[in-house]
Amino acid sequence: SLRLYPNPASSYMMVRYSGTRQQNVIITVKDMMGRTVISKTQASQNGSNELEINTSGLAEGTYVLSLSDAEQSSVSRLFTVVK
């Protein structure tokens, strides 16, 4: 599962997800034009994981956050940035 909060976000957003094992995951944020605006790799543990994404540099609007693992399994959620 993937949970984003607060949504809408202004300066930061928390990303909470469940990992099935220790592995690296790739978090990608794209704007509605498909441009990658944030991309980072995060070490994931088995069980609950949480990380903070700095959204203060993003313009107001709607974005898509995708979380991908080594098996190319991916889950995505929409979120909004407001100032």
Side-chain angles (χ1 to χ4, degrees), residues 25-56:
V25 294
I26 301 168
I27 296 98
T28 307
V29 175
K30 293 185 178 186
D31 65 16
M32 297 313 291
M33 300 296 288
R35 295 177 293 229
T36 300
V37 294
I38 297 173
S39 182
K40 64 189 312 182
T41 300
Q42 174 79 19
S44 174
Q45 304 297 318
N46 185 24
S48 182
N49 293 269
E50 188 172 72
L51 69 116
E52 182 176 314
I53 301 286
N54 182 346
T55 59
S56 63

Side-chain angles (χ1 to χ4, degrees), residues 3-73:
R3 182 171 174 237
L4 310 178
Y5 62 94
N7 191 6
S10 56
S11 58
Y12 74 95
M13 181 178 53
M14 298 303 295
V15 178
R16 180 176 288 170
Y17 61 95
S18 296
T20 57
R21 61 186 171 91
Q22 283 187 320
Q23 63 180 335
N24 285 335
V25 294
I26 301 168
I27 296 98
T28 307
V29 175
K30 293 185 178 186
D31 65 16
M32 297 313 291
M33 300 296 288
R35 295 177 293 229
T36 300
V37 294
I38 297 173
S39 182
K40 64 189 312 182
T41 300
Q42 174 79 19
S44 174
Q45 304 297 318
N46 185 24
S48 182
N49 293 269
E50 188 172 72
L51 69 116
E52 182 176 314
I53 301 286
N54 182 346
T55 59
S56 63
L58 299 179
E60 283 194 358
T62 302
Y63 295 85
V64 178
L65 182 138
S66 298
L67 184 127
S68 304
D69 63 20
E71 287 85 36
Q72 303 303 315
S73 175

Side-chain angles (χ1 to χ4, degrees), residues 64-83:
V64 178
L65 182 138
S66 298
L67 184 127
S68 304
D69 63 20
E71 287 85 36
Q72 303 303 315
S73 175
S74 180
V75 62
S76 300
R77 296 284 185 272
L78 290 174
F79 72 95
T80 303
V81 172
V82 295
K83 300 295 179 185

